[in-house]
Amino acid sequence: MSFQPVRFYQTGTYTVGNRLLDEAQRTVQATVARANSLTSGHRACQGCGEALGARYAMDAAMHATDRQMVVVNATGCLEVFSTPYPETSWQVPWMHSLFGNAPAVATGVAAALRVKGRRNVRVIAQGGDGGTTDIGFGCLSGMFERNDDVLYICYDNEAYMNTGVQRSSATPAAARTATTPAMGPAPGNEFGQGKFLPEIAMAHRIPYVATASVADLRDLEAKVEEATHLRGARYIHVLVPCPLGWGAASSDTIRLARLATESGLFPIFEARFGDVSEARPIRRPVPVDEFLRLQKRFAHLFEPTIDTERIAVIQAQADRNIKRYALLP
Amino acid sequence: MDKPFAITLDPGSSLANHTGSWRTARPSYVDHLPPCNQGCPTGENIQGWLYHAESGQYEAAWRVLVQDNPMPAVTGRVCYHPCEGACNRARLDSAVSIHAVERFLGDEAIKQDWQFARPPALSGKRVLVVGAGPSGLAAAYHLARLGHAVEVREAGPMAGGMMRFGIPKYRLPRDVLDAEIRRIEQLGVTIRLNTKVDHLLKARDEGGFDAAFVAVGAHVSKRAWVPAGEAARIMDALSVLRSVELGEKPLLGRRVLVYGGGNTAIDVARTARRLGAEEAVIIYRRTRDRMPAHDSEVQEALDEGVMFRWLSTIKMGADAGAREQFTIEKMALDESGFPQPTGEFEQIEADSLVLALGQDVDLSLLDDVPGLQLTDGVVGVGSNMMTACPGIFAGGDMVPAERTVTVALGHGKKAARHIDAWLRGEAPDVPEKHPVAPFERLNTWYYTDAPRSVQQELERVRRESTFDEVVSGLNADTALFEARRCLSCGNCFECDNCYGVCPDNAVIKLGPGKRFKINLDYCKGCGLCAAECPCGAIEMVPETI
């Protein structure tokens, strides 16, 4: 990773702040001067991972660009809870068009800024997994292919949460959603159907692709900072657990993100021009059960009997990630 | 206020939307009692002083420390640190080396000549303290800090009590002990040496004291019946240690037997090695795991070549020509762990035998105090450390308790608080204790992996021939590192996690040292701040509607 780890402090690099650290080593989120890009009063659910992830990312970008940036937002939870007419929670220049065309609109904004010679103003597009991996995927692939000067940030909560938890192409195998109910011989979402967009983005050989989660703030901030300083098409995929859609306690949002990465189900890595350049090793390995058990969308794997077969397949997916990205030393 | 259908707000910021109304539980900042603080016999606020030490503010840390314990350089060396036995970090990797940081602060205070804060006002009351051991000195210190005039009367030629006459130099260098006693004197405490109090009430009345605290220690060695010939050289452990302290060299010979299993037995055996004994053998009735002596001391003794005979008793000593012959009987533990004789005997040669079988208290000075309750040779006291005689308080080894320096210091502190209240005719001001912060309250993910610092030890050759201090202290860097291993169990240390993880920006950061507060206009009560607080300092409290 591109940040400097701080060792031998009471809580080291893992907490948001630390009174013992120099100002320069503190996170953006620890400062009173943070932008609060997504301000209070928004209508996200209790413990919303996406609200948290969006503020983390946008505050870091505001800091890195010295507040010279434009945000284009796709339709989705993030837009609906933050900007119901006539109010807004955004403290950034913010623009909305349609569900599927955020990458294209961002491309246009970038082009306009280039024509006007405003090289210092950076363009960021953002959306949920539905708007990114399904509906906006064509535009996004085009943006990558043309290497447009846009940073796209996807907040992945693994389904269409805004409209009532329907499956998206990012929904994991065996998960129950409104459209993949927990019934029949193979309950929940089918195996082998998911898209892992970071790897598709890597296939476009764009300058920068990274994954992150709301459980590792320092890592997330460092990646946003890194990405804002690069030119060309860049993509960051942030895992943001959804208490409502996942059927989890609102206080477990960060814990779930942590368990997803520590089990290997969600690998944290960086790739440059199509090649993995760095992966964040697992610190305290856990089996996938610990992640699955906390969520009602996987309850049918444990009740009335434990579905060891399907859990084993999910574990195999995690093990594949661990091997592929060398997550265990 | 005509708004379109389903529109509730005017155009503008969402800040007008008070989402706190969704809340069913609210986060509340709490302070819990860290297990180290709970485990400390002197009631030190360990987490509190480590907090200052973490930022390198050693004087501030020392000042918090000495609110409870006036002798940190001593306890940092000789305390058996029950705090570390309770430390939550032990479940993560290994306990914080609290004693090493305490010792560092104590030594730093001596080096920098930090002095105690003077009392704001004098009370005009006078208190007599009998005995200048840890308990008496602590009581004197705390009473002086409360503004009372204190006179300590000590029968011996030097102050320090068992810290001086029971603990050898290699564990507690005398310059350290002297420095900490001197600092108490500089606070205004009078210590009169070679002044034995024979009749307590008489001394109190003649001196015009308003109250008295007695802590004369347990300086009389217990005897065991060991039939021995005329020439047998049998000594008791305390006399040996005392004569070494006073500069005499007891004639122990080349082969020394020590009978007993407590810390004093270990101290005598190690002292014998330093005095030139080629062999020092500790005879103990039971096994090592049942030995009352502290394990680290047993290990240090083993490192120095002290030998142990487990499951053995001394049967008799008889004159056997030039050297002494002692009979050892082998023992076996019964089901309850009590040693039983087996009838197997063995002869062992030795030049001397030192008995370390425990100590009694000489209570003759209390003969003129009416109505005292004595049990097993010690004085009964109430929860306020007062004896059955009003105004006479007692503590240390002469009351029923574990006999350690730290427990004695704690008695002194507690007694001082109650003497003060008694003198003022009020109930003592005892703050209510917070509930304990168990390991389960912590979110340990956030703590960096950091191995415990190791203190250096003197090499064996020098340990066998000199009384130089065996265990070294930490340097400033290592002490800082060690302090920062503290998890701050149950008490906010301002890591900003709650401020960072709130999806609604509802945590307000009040600035360094002022912690945080919750903006209830926007807090939806999700509980993320409480779940992600590393030290468990936030609790979710149900809202009442």
Side-chain angles (χ1 to χ4, degrees):
Chain A
M1 301 292 150
S2 51
F3 64 92
Q4 180 68 40
V6 183
R7 298 201 186 282
F8 302 145
Y9 276 88
Q10 185 178 44
T11 59
T13 44
Y14 302 106
T15 52
V16 168
N18 192 323
R19 68 187 176 95
L20 305 171
L21 291 181
D22 301 338
E23 290 288 341
Q25 290 175 302
R26 295 186 187 184
T27 63
V28 174
Q29 282 306 308
T31 61
V32 178
R34 73 187 188 194
N36 273 339
S37 315
L38 181 64
T39 197
S40 309
H42 63 71
R43 302 180 183 202
C45 305
Q46 294 167 322
C48 175
E50 191 168 44
L52 192 59
R55 193 190 74 221
Y56 280 176
M58 289 303 118
D59 282 2
M62 285 284 269
H63 177 76
T65 60
D66 206 12
R67 306 201 174 203
Q68 298 299 305
M69 59 184 247
V70 176
V71 178
V72 178
N73 208 134
T75 305
C77 266
L78 184 59
E79 187 229 54
V80 170
F81 75 63
S82 63
T83 48
Y85 178 81
E87 68 187 85
T88 179
S89 307
W90 293 103
Q91 313 262 309
V92 289
W94 186 88
M95 195 175 189
H96 165 70
S97 174
L98 297 173
F99 205 159
N101 68 357
V105 173
T107 295
V109 172
L113 287 167
R114 192 178 65 240
V115 168
K116 290 176 75 99
R118 304 285 301 273
R119 292 276 291 170
N120 61 322
V121 182
R122 310 309 311 275
V123 182
I124 297 176
Q126 58 179 354
D129 53 299
T132 306
T133 68
D134 296 346
I135 300 172
F137 183 64
C139 290
L140 183 68
S141 180
M143 184 199 108
F144 288 163
E145 182 269 323
R146 294 185 303 270
N147 198 26
D148 293 318
D149 191 19
V150 174
L151 164 61
Y152 193 98
I153 301 178
C154 168
Y155 305 106
D156 180 9
N157 56 19
E158 305 190 333
Y160 290 87
M161 300 310 184
N162 172 42
T163 45
V165 197
Q166 293 85 8
R167 75 166 286 250
S168 78
S169 56
T171 299
R176 176 267 282 148
T177 66
T179 45
T180 58
M183 57 173 64
N189 199 28
E190 274 189 72
F191 276 91
Q193 302 292 304
K195 283 186 205 174
F196 188 47
L197 196 50
E199 285 176 5
I200 302 176
M202 281 163 67
H204 291 76
R205 316 265 169 95
I206 56 174
Y208 188 77
V209 173
T211 61
S213 87
V214 288
D216 193 343
L217 173 66
R218 283 172 189 274
D219 178 65
L220 170 60
E221 286 191 349
K223 283 169 175 167
V224 171
E225 166 119 27
E226 171 77 6
T228 49
H229 291 145
L230 297 170
R231 296 273 167 184
R234 291 141 288 148
Y235 180 73
I236 299 179
H237 191 96
V238 187
L239 181 70
V240 291
C242 170
L244 178 84
W246 293 17
S250 60
S251 58
D252 274 346
T253 300
I254 291 175
R255 187 174 168 208
L256 281 167
R258 192 156 56 229
L259 289 171
T261 58
E262 292 302 281
S263 64
L265 276 175
F266 189 82
I268 304 280
F269 63 91
E270 274 179 312
R272 288 166 203 270
F273 300 103
D275 292 321
V276 175
S277 55
E278 202 126 16
R280 180 187 164 286
I282 288 173
R283 184 168 164 234
R284 294 187 189 169
V286 290
V288 293
D289 314 31
E290 283 195 34
F291 170 71
L292 302 174
R293 259 180 214 280
L294 293 173
Q295 308 170 53
K296 288 210 185 75
R297 65 174 174 160
F298 292 114
H300 55 275
L301 297 178
F302 299 95
E303 285 166 3
T305 53
I306 294 188
D307 189 343
T308 46
E309 204 179 312
R310 277 188 179 71
I311 294 172
V313 177
I314 296 171
Q315 182 66 56
Q317 291 176 342
D319 292 343
R320 181 180 174 278
N321 284 336
I322 290 171
K323 200 171 156 209
R324 181 182 163 117
Y325 295 99
L327 300 179
L328 283 177
Chain B
M1 291 293 281
D2 279 339
K3 292 196 174 74
F5 173 72
I7 301 297
T8 54
L9 298 173
D10 290 322
S13 164
S14 64
L15 288 172
N17 189 16
H18 285 184
T19 47
S21 60
W22 304 7
R23 192 176 57 243
T24 56
R26 71 168 66 187
S28 162
Y29 289 94
V30 291
D31 281 296
H32 279 221
L33 182 66
C36 52
N37 295 16
Q38 191 199 28
C40 179
T42 53
E44 277 183 28
N45 184 3
I46 295 167
Q47 178 270 332
W49 56 257
L50 281 174
Y51 178 87
H52 294 290
E54 279 159 22
S55 48
Q57 294 177 341
Y58 298 130
E59 184 168 353
W62 179 79
R63 296 217 172 267
V64 175
L65 207 175
V66 298
Q67 282 173 13
D68 300 295
N69 172 11
M71 312 188 89
V74 169
T75 49
R77 288 174 167 84
V78 305
C79 178
Y80 297 117
H81 35 76
C83 50
E84 294 179 26
C87 177
N88 275 333
R89 181 138 199 153
R91 299 256 303 261
L92 207 56
D93 40 35
S94 51
V96 177
S97 190
I98 297 168
H99 75 278
V101 182
E102 180 178 55
R103 169 173 168 171
F104 173 80
L105 293 175
D107 287 352
E108 199 66 13
I110 294 172
K111 210 192 295 172
Q112 311 278 350
D113 197 29
W114 294 331
Q115 294 295 324
F116 296 128
R118 297 253 158 194
L122 297 177
S123 68
K125 302 278 187 187
R126 301 187 66 225
V127 183
L128 171 66
V129 172
V130 185
S135 204
L137 289 170
Y141 160 79
H142 288 287
L143 286 164
R145 292 246 294 194
L146 290 164
H148 306 298
V150 189
E151 182 176 319
V152 184
R153 293 190 185 168
E154 165 62 42
M158 290 179 268
M162 277 297 185
M163 294 185 286
R164 188 182 299 277
F165 296 110
I167 298 176
K169 278 187 193 128
Y170 58 84
R171 278 176 60 205
L172 177 57
R174 298 310 183 231
D175 54 338
V176 172
L177 178 62
D178 292 338
E180 296 215 312
I181 295 174
R182 201 178 316 122
R183 194 192 291 121
I184 294 173
E185 286 185 283
Q186 281 164 349
L187 180 63
V189 170
T190 310
I191 302 177
R192 291 177 59 193
L193 301 173
N194 298 309
T195 311
K196 191 161 195 287
V197 174
D198 293 313
H199 305 285
L200 180 65
L201 292 188
K202 193 164 153 246
R204 181 193 65 178
D205 297 342
E206 282 175 1
F209 293 102
D210 299 287
F213 177 68
V214 197
V216 294
H219 289 265
V220 185
S221 280
K222 274 194 179 130
R223 303 293 303 181
W225 185 74
V226 181
E230 287 289 308
R233 276 216 298 272
I234 299 179
M235 280 168 269
D236 73 75
L238 279 188
S239 319
V240 173
L241 293 173
R242 173 179 284 262
S243 57
V244 171
E245 184 58 30
L246 294 172
E248 298 155 19
K249 200 176 172 193
L251 295 167
L252 292 169
R254 283 174 40 224
R255 185 177 181 137
V256 183
L257 299 186
V258 178
Y259 189 30
N263 290 316
T264 309
I266 309 279
D267 283 340
V268 165
R270 294 175 70 183
T271 299
R273 290 284 287 157
R274 285 167 170 77
L275 289 172
E278 281 161 21
E279 281 182 40
V281 186
I282 293 178
I283 315 280
Y284 181 55
R285 294 179 303 151
R286 293 190 276 187
T287 48
R288 177 172 174 178
D289 53 319
R290 290 174 189 277
M291 206 171 191
H294 198 259
D295 200 52
S296 69
E297 280 205 58
V298 178
Q299 192 53 51
E300 282 173 26
L302 284 166
D303 293 345
E304 288 166 15
V306 170
M307 288 177 282
F308 287 83
R309 292 287 294 260
W310 311 109
L311 291 168
S312 308
T313 56
I314 301 265
K315 214 51 196 167
M316 56 183 280
D319 196 334
R323 303 190 69 175
E324 309 301 332
Q325 196 91 336
F326 294 93
T327 304
I328 309 266
E329 177 168 8
K330 287 208 167 150
M331 306 294 275
L333 296 185
D334 64 15
E335 279 165 13
S336 61
F338 199 80
Q340 299 292 352
T342 59
E344 272 182 66
F345 295 96
E346 191 187 333
Q347 296 292 313
I348 188 165
E349 275 186 9
D351 296 308
S352 58
L353 168 66
V354 184
L355 302 177
L357 301 164
Q359 295 104 48
D360 287 324
V361 187
D362 177 7
L363 292 170
S364 60
L365 85 162
L366 298 173
D367 285 349
D368 67 341
V369 183
L372 286 190
Q373 288 163 345
L374 303 179
T375 37
D376 297 332
V378 290
V379 182
V381 286
S383 60
N384 58 355
M385 308 303 288
M386 189 158 77
T387 63
C389 178
I392 306 291
F393 296 76
D397 289 354
M398 63 181 291
V399 302
E402 200 190 337
R403 288 177 169 173
T404 69
V405 170
T406 324
V407 167
L409 287 165
H411 284 177
K413 171 188 154 193
K414 193 173 172 190
R417 192 198 292 154
H418 287 284
I419 291 169
D420 175 64
W422 190 80
L423 289 173
R424 286 186 288 112
E426 294 167 13
D429 182 25
V430 185
E432 204 177 313
K433 278 193 179 166
H434 296 297
V436 179
F439 183 78
E440 289 68 31
R441 273 193 83 81
L442 307 176
N443 188 336
T444 58
W445 169 262
Y446 291 102
Y447 297 107
T448 316
D449 309 309
R452 179 177 161 116
S453 319
V454 177
Q455 287 166 275
Q456 282 192 348
E457 291 188 3
L458 205 62
E459 64 265 44
R460 182 169 166 174
V461 179
R462 293 189 59 201
R463 283 160 66 169
E464 285 171 359
S465 54
T466 70
F467 278 87
D468 290 353
E469 187 166 22
V470 170
V471 182
S472 312
L474 302 178
N475 63 22
D477 282 350
T478 344
L480 191 67
F481 170 82
E482 199 55 38
R484 287 175 175 182
R485 293 183 67 237
C486 172
L487 307 179
S488 192
C489 307
N491 293 274
C492 174
F493 58 94
E494 295 179 35
C495 70
D496 295 328
N497 243 27
C498 51
Y499 179 65
V501 303
C502 176
D504 296 288
N505 316 342
V507 177
I508 301 164
K509 187 168 164 170
L510 298 175
K514 297 180 190 149
R515 299 186 174 185
F516 305 86
K517 91 179 183 193
I518 305 288
N519 184 348
L520 293 170
D521 280 350
Y522 301 113
C523 169
K524 292 172 185 161
C526 69
L528 268 179
C529 52
E532 298 304 319
C533 175
C535 63
I538 306 178
E539 235 159 45
M540 295 304 290
V541 183
E543 289 284 351
T544 48
I545 302 162

